[in-house]
Every structure is written in C-alpha cells, then in structure tokens.
Amino acid sequence: MVRLYGLLFLAQIVLAVCALISCLSAEEGEIRALPRVAWVLIILFFPLVGSIAWFVAGREAGARRPRTAWPMGNGFSEQHRPRQVAPDDDPEFLSSLRERARRDDQELLRRWEDDLRRREEDLRRREDGRDRPEV
C-alpha cells in the first residue's frame, strides 16, 4: 500500500511540475479564464486539482503546437507576410529564363553563321588564288 501511495504522490508531483512548466512557458494569448499568477498559485497550493484544471480550462486548445528555441519569422504575422514562391514555381522567373535561353541561342546561332561565312570567304579566296597564274 505504501508503494501505491508513493507512486501516486510521485505522479501528482510530476503532473504539477508539467503544469507549472506549461503555465509559465505559455504565451499571454494562450492563457484562459485567469491571469498567469492565479494559475501558478492554484497549481502550487492544489497540485492535483490545479494541474488538471490548468490542462482542462487554463490553456487554449490550439496551444499544443511545437515550441522552438528561436521565434520564427521576421516580426510580421503570417497573414501580412508576402508569400514567397520558389524560383522554379514563379512564372515570371521561368519566362525570364526562357527569354534568356532564346536570346542566348539566337546569339550563338548568329556567331556560328558569321563564322561559317568567314570560313567560306576564306576558302573562296584560297581557291581564287590558286586558279590565277602567278606573275
């Protein structure tokens, strides 16, 4: 029987510590019904009932999101933050890539055609020079 009471006492202490940590780390908008100080006092003076009351009625239902060591974002709320699009999903970026590729292809084709004309002219000059008798 002593072991059972010891186990229940230990469970009550663990529950109270978890409730205190949850209460103290909750943001101001996540606390319902009473101020934070009142919840801390209730949890400390009535560990079992206060802890259960905190988890049932003291915090917001959506307060179970994972917490990070550093705040996320740059100070703007999610509603006011401009939506960022990855470059490969941005239609303007993709069209600029297509336009740039088209211009590069045209420039490369122009250089090849110029080089081909120059080589043909060099070849004609060589052939014309051989056909003429040297003086």
Side-chain angles (χ1 to χ4, degrees):
M1 202 64 169
V2 175
R3 288 184 184 174
L4 179 64
Y5 287 138
L7 187 61
L8 290 175
F9 177 73
L10 185 62
Q12 176 183 341
I13 296 299
V14 168
L15 183 65
V17 168
C18 289
L20 273 175
I21 291 172
S22 174
C23 180
L24 293 174
S25 66
E27 293 183 16
E28 208 55 44
E30 296 175 349
I31 300 174
R32 294 189 315 187
L34 296 173
R36 183 188 316 260
V37 175
W39 279 113
V40 169
L41 292 176
I42 290 172
I43 293 169
L44 287 176
F45 290 131
F46 309 103
L48 183 61
V49 175
S51 300
I52 293 172
W54 164 253
F55 286 120
V56 171
R59 65 180 183 164
E60 287 287 328
R64 294 183 184 96
R65 61 182 164 78
R67 300 190 56 90
T68 58
W70 297 97
M72 300 296 283
N74 56 0
F76 295 104
S77 68
E78 292 295 324
Q79 293 88 11
H80 302 298
R81 182 180 301 175
R83 183 176 173 265
Q84 295 180 350
V85 178
D88 57 346
D89 291 336
D90 186 8
E92 292 177 21
F93 179 73
L94 293 174
S95 65
S96 72
L97 282 180
R98 280 191 290 271
E99 180 62 30
R100 186 184 320 160
R102 188 184 60 77
R103 280 191 313 234
D104 291 346
D105 289 345
Q106 287 178 346
E107 176 63 25
L108 184 61
L109 182 61
R110 187 193 58 77
R111 282 190 282 148
W112 284 349
E113 288 174 344
D114 290 345
D115 187 46
L116 182 61
R117 276 190 219 104
R118 183 185 52 81
R119 288 178 182 218
E120 286 175 345
E121 289 172 4
D122 287 346
L123 189 60
R124 283 189 193 113
R125 272 187 254 142
R126 285 185 195 155
E127 287 177 357
D128 289 342
R130 289 189 191 144
D131 292 342
R132 288 188 219 157
E134 293 192 27
V135 183

